Amino acid sequence: MIEVAVRHDFKGFTLDAAFKVERVGITALFGPSGSGKTTVVSAIAGIFRPKQGRVVVDGRVLLDTATGTFVPPRLRRTATVFQDARLFPHMSVENNLRFGWRRAAQKASQAEFDHVLALLGLEALLTRRPAKLSGGEKSRVALGRALLASPQLLLLDEPLAALDAARKAEILPYLERLRDEVPMIYVTHSLDEVTRLADDLILLKDGRVAAKGRVFDLLPDLEFADVLGAPPAGAVFRATVTAQRDDGLTTLGFDGGELFVARLERPVGTALRVRLRAEDIMLALEEPRAISANNVLPATVTNVSVRGNAADVQLLCGQVKLVSRITKSSRDRLGLVAGTKLFAIVKSVTVDPILQ
């Protein structure tokens, strides 16, 4: 359990945010630039002392301004990864990694050191200096150094912001692997990173917590989209590989039925994260026949929100929430209201690697 409460007055801006993290995994601290995300993480790490605040990690009080408690950063057993990696340029990769290991309050064993190397694919990089690494490689080394400090909590402050699309694609699978290793608070303003990585989401807006909850529940929620001030991102949910078909498709089972996707080289039983974007779901009042789409799912409308010429339609498919973005004209023509039974025609499915 992680408890955070931070209040501080800046010129023209007041940060007043409080939240709890109750599960191992990735909690996204999400919001626009200037909303207070980095300040909150800095307060947790101990590199910023707020006027008022309380930080508790696994029952250990790291900060409590009411009692004058302030644990120095090096004793907090938190580790922070910044977007610029901050490796020591004169040290090899191995020495950068061992720097984190040497400073750990509880040193990892050699077996754990080797585990981190394998987890992040660092074995072939040990003798290199940071100047000889790509951006993605530097990020992996920074993650390794942080993990080898044996933290109780890993803080990631926009770790992908300085990377191009290719380097982001390189580092994302490694971040996914870390879900089981240590609780993480992940600062980002990228909704794509949230949908792929996060288990829980805390939205900071104007210095305050505007929304919080499970990613699977918030992303397709139309009220969350209103608070965010943006169209719904779509739905994220868990699915399992249930069959490999002879026609080159893979069957994914989820609470709302089955999805058929291009062949995935994953064994039956593999758990996956599936994303369906709002723009990739069409709606029909009658089950369509003789169409190219492989996925047609029965669903029920639970909410409709009209935004100018667009309409966002929240759906329930089994116990999974989906959302479709169509035109207001289509919504009016179909007469969609809460309770309408229909069929969701899925044009595209994004499948991300294994969950926990």
Side-chain angles (χ1 to χ4, degrees):
M1 168 77 78
I2 299 158
E3 302 174 50
V4 178
V6 178
R7 178 180 171 83
H8 196 87
D9 294 316
F10 299 90
K11 186 177 181 180
F13 176 77
T14 296
L15 174 64
D16 189 1
F19 58 87
K20 294 181 180 179
V21 176
E22 300 181 359
R23 286 174 284 264
V24 173
I26 299 177
T27 297
L29 194 56
F30 175 74
S33 297
S35 58
K37 305 184 299 297
T38 294
T39 304
V40 169
V41 165
S42 297
I44 298 171
I47 56 181
F48 171 73
R49 297 184 71 161
K51 182 178 179 181
Q52 294 175 268
R54 179 175 167 85
V55 176
V56 183
V57 177
D58 291 341
R60 183 172 174 238
V61 179
L62 305 182
L63 169 71
D64 190 339
T65 55
T67 62
T69 302
F70 181 81
V71 176
R74 62 185 179 82
L75 299 178
R76 291 200 173 198
R77 293 200 63 195
T78 63
T80 307
V81 177
F82 301 94
Q83 63 177 270
D84 56 358
R86 302 192 183 184
L87 301 178
F88 299 112
H90 62 289
M91 292 184 183
S92 67
V93 165
E94 181 171 6
N95 287 334
N96 266 281
L97 294 171
R98 292 198 180 276
F99 179 86
W101 175 79
R102 284 193 297 270
R103 289 175 60 86
Q106 298 180 14
K107 287 186 173 58
S109 66
Q110 185 60 46
E112 290 170 318
F113 186 91
D114 293 340
H115 170 66
V116 170
L117 294 184
L119 185 72
L120 297 173
L122 300 175
E123 300 98 323
L125 306 179
L126 292 178
T127 61
R128 294 194 203 172
R129 295 274 181 97
K132 298 295 184 181
L133 301 176
S134 70
E137 289 168 341
K138 289 177 183 177
S139 294
R140 283 154 52 196
V141 175
L143 281 169
R145 185 173 65 182
L147 286 175
L148 287 167
S150 298
Q152 291 177 304
L153 175 64
L154 187 58
L155 306 169
L156 300 105
D157 189 5
E158 304 213 42
L160 305 185
L163 303 180
D164 60 25
R167 301 290 79 76
K168 286 182 182 181
E170 174 190 331
I171 196 68
L172 279 167
Y174 294 102
L175 288 169
E176 287 163 337
R177 292 183 191 179
L178 294 178
R179 284 195 183 103
D180 283 341
E181 301 294 318
V182 62
M184 286 177 274
I185 294 180
Y186 187 99
V187 171
T188 183
H189 61 264
S190 167
L191 203 52
D192 282 343
E193 292 173 25
V194 170
T195 59
R196 176 155 178 177
L197 294 172
D199 304 291
D200 294 276
L201 173 62
I202 297 164
L203 172 64
L204 273 189
K205 196 171 184 180
D206 299 324
R208 287 167 171 76
V209 175
K212 57 185 175 180
R214 297 290 277 169
V215 166
F216 309 109
D217 296 323
L218 283 182
L219 290 182
D221 190 276
L222 302 188
E223 291 183 4
F224 174 72
D226 287 337
V227 173
L228 187 61
V236 179
F237 55 90
R238 294 183 176 93
T240 304
V241 176
T242 56
Q244 300 290 2
R245 294 165 40 128
D246 293 335
D247 60 2
L249 298 179
T250 294
T251 304
L252 304 180
F254 73 109
D255 190 80
E258 292 184 326
L259 289 169
F260 305 103
V261 300
R263 173 78 68 179
L264 298 174
E265 298 305 324
R266 302 275 182 171
V268 170
T270 298
L272 302 167
R273 173 176 289 209
V274 172
R275 289 185 285 161
L276 302 182
R277 301 183 189 280
E279 294 81 2
D280 289 335
I281 297 180
M282 299 173 61
L283 303 177
L285 294 179
E286 298 178 358
E287 185 173 7
R289 306 286 183 182
I291 62 172
S292 60
N294 290 318
N295 297 296
V296 178
L297 303 170
T300 302
V301 175
T302 56
N303 196 6
V304 179
S305 175
V306 175
R307 302 161 180 269
N309 293 323
D312 299 316
V313 183
Q314 185 175 294
L315 311 167
L316 196 61
C317 184
Q319 294 301 311
V320 172
K321 294 179 181 179
L322 306 178
V323 63
S324 171
R325 189 168 177 81
I326 60 176
T327 64
K328 178 182 179 297
S329 174
S330 295
R331 176 261 194 183
D332 294 343
R333 178 165 44 82
L334 296 176
L336 300 182
V337 294
T340 301
K341 305 289 186 181
L342 47 65
F343 293 89
I345 304 162
V346 181
K347 297 185 289 183
S348 178
V349 180
T350 301
V351 179
D352 290 326
I354 300 173
L355 285 166
Q356 282 98 316

